[in-house]
Each structure stands twice: as C-alpha cells, then as structure tokens.
Amino acid sequence: MDSKVKEYFEKKHQWSKELALMRKILLEAPLKETIKWGAPTYTFNGKNIVGMAAYKNYCGLWFFQGALLNDKHNVLHNVQEEKTKVMLQWRFHTISEIDINLIKEYVLEAIENQKQGKEIKPIRKTKLLMIPELLQNELESNQSLKENFEKFSSSKKREYASYISEAKRETTKLSRLSKIIPMILNGAGLHDKYRNC
C-alpha cells in the first residue's frame, strides 16, 4: 500500500467504516489506488475513474466521467452546476446506503467507458482579445510595432491590452503605452521577466 494511501486511511475519520467498505469494493475492481488532491483516487490505464472523499455530513464517490454513466438508479449528483459538467458524485450518509453490487456496476461501467475511449473533455472558455483604442491607434500607425505584436500569443496580447485598459486615468494609459512600445518592439512579453525567474 502506498504510504500516502495508508496515511489517509489511518486517520480517524468519522466515516472510517464507510470508507473502508468503499475501498474494499474499489480494490476488487482492476483499478490502481493512489492519492490525488488529498483523497484516494482509483485509476485504470492511467486515467482517473473514481475517487472517494469524506465530508462533515456525508462521504462519497466521485466519478470523473460520471456524465457518461447510465445512472439508471439516479444516484449521481452534480454538486457544482456552474463549474463541472462531467464529474458526478454519489453520496452516502450511512453504511447501510452503500450497495456493494450497485457500486461495482457503476465502477465497471466507468472502466468499460474508459476502455472504449469515451471521454468528455472540458470546454475551455477563451477570453476575447479587446485591444484598447489607444493601443490600436499606435499599432495602426507603426507597422513594425504591429508586426511584432502579431507574433505574440493570444495570452501575451491580452496582457498588453489589459495593462493599458485597466488604467483609470488617460495620463496613466499614455505612460503605460510609452513603457510597452519598446518591449513589444523587442519581442518581449509584458511579464516575461517574471516567467524566467
């Protein structure tokens, strides 16, 4: 047993009996046990399948690709509607709620989904690049500046745009513009000196 896993289960949890039972069920499946994000996590072929956690009012299982499961028994919940779409949780408030066969059914389905390559990837929201008028005017009047600016990644362009637009006073915006022009011409990102430390 991994030392971190051992340490987790040796802690005095109010849910120790429930966690031990869930662990026994999960170890009977072809899963590898590890600790991720401070909690037991079970993987198959290097992919996260299910994790367990103990909270104040309940303990539970997290299915990393829970949205792909049939959930015909309606036991899975999305606890962060705004943040997560794929990961679903199964909560237990007493040991008697832990149905060994049902958990095995869900775990085996999750493993089968992984074997088949089924996966819902998170959708990353891309931030729009809004170039402030002051910077835009400078780019349009200075071809060399514009060419160098276009070579930057979207994130570096956003850093420069934000740096100008976040200033409240016009004098500050102009001062910041004067500061960044040589940086852009030299091909340096706004925060490069901190990235290279």
Side-chain angles (χ1 to χ4, degrees):
M1 183 192 302
D2 179 290
S3 62
K4 289 181 180 178
V5 172
K6 186 177 181 189
E7 186 182 313
Y8 181 89
F9 286 104
E10 285 177 349
K11 287 180 188 173
K12 297 234 185 270
H13 290 286
Q14 80 182 69
W15 302 102
S16 56
K17 288 179 186 172
E18 289 83 357
L19 292 172
L21 178 56
M22 287 189 290
R23 179 172 187 254
K24 182 179 181 292
I25 297 165
L26 296 174
L27 289 177
E28 289 175 3
L31 295 170
K32 184 176 181 212
E33 183 178 56
T34 187
I35 294 285
K36 293 186 180 184
W37 308 285
T41 303
Y42 299 82
T43 65
F44 181 81
N45 289 341
K47 296 281 191 176
N48 297 329
I49 301 295
V50 63
M52 71 170 75
Y55 300 96
K56 184 178 177 182
N57 298 318
Y58 63 91
C59 60
L61 297 172
W62 286 96
F63 286 89
F64 288 89
Q65 291 287 322
L68 292 173
L69 297 173
N70 267 324
D71 194 21
K72 57 188 170 195
H73 300 282
N74 202 28
V75 294
L76 301 177
H77 306 278
N78 186 332
V79 292
Q80 292 183 311
E81 288 290 338
E82 298 300 314
K83 291 185 179 179
T84 60
K85 302 289 182 214
V86 182
M87 187 184 291
L88 298 178
Q89 185 185 61
W90 189 349
R91 294 180 180 180
F92 306 102
H93 300 91
T94 65
I95 199 162
S96 62
E97 292 178 1
I98 299 174
D99 184 325
I100 295 168
N101 293 323
L102 199 55
I103 291 174
K104 283 181 182 177
E105 182 183 318
Y106 277 66
V107 169
L108 292 174
E109 183 185 350
I111 292 169
E112 189 57 36
N113 286 342
Q114 199 287 314
K115 283 181 183 176
Q116 293 176 18
K118 292 181 181 177
E119 182 179 11
I120 301 171
K121 295 195 180 202
I123 299 169
R124 306 235 184 263
K125 292 181 180 177
T126 55
K127 295 177 184 173
L128 291 174
L129 176 61
M130 303 291 287
I131 299 181
E133 188 178 348
L134 195 63
L135 178 57
Q136 187 62 44
N137 291 342
E138 195 65 34
L139 292 170
E140 287 172 8
S141 67
N142 184 334
Q143 189 59 33
S144 181
L145 186 70
K146 184 176 184 174
E147 286 171 8
N148 281 11
F149 188 77
E150 290 303 319
K151 291 177 187 174
F152 288 134
S153 65
S154 296
S155 62
K156 285 188 179 184
K157 289 177 186 175
R158 274 194 296 277
E159 286 173 0
Y160 276 122
S162 295
Y163 184 66
I164 301 294
S165 61
E166 287 171 357
K168 304 262 188 277
R169 295 173 37 212
E170 194 66 23
T171 54
T172 307
K173 289 181 183 190
L174 289 167
S175 168
R176 288 182 177 189
L177 182 64
S178 297
K179 176 184 171 185
I180 66 170
I181 288 172
M183 294 172 74
I184 295 170
L185 289 171
N186 288 326
L190 182 64
H191 302 299
D192 282 0
K193 67 179 178 182
Y194 302 112
R195 288 189 181 102
N196 297 329
C197 293

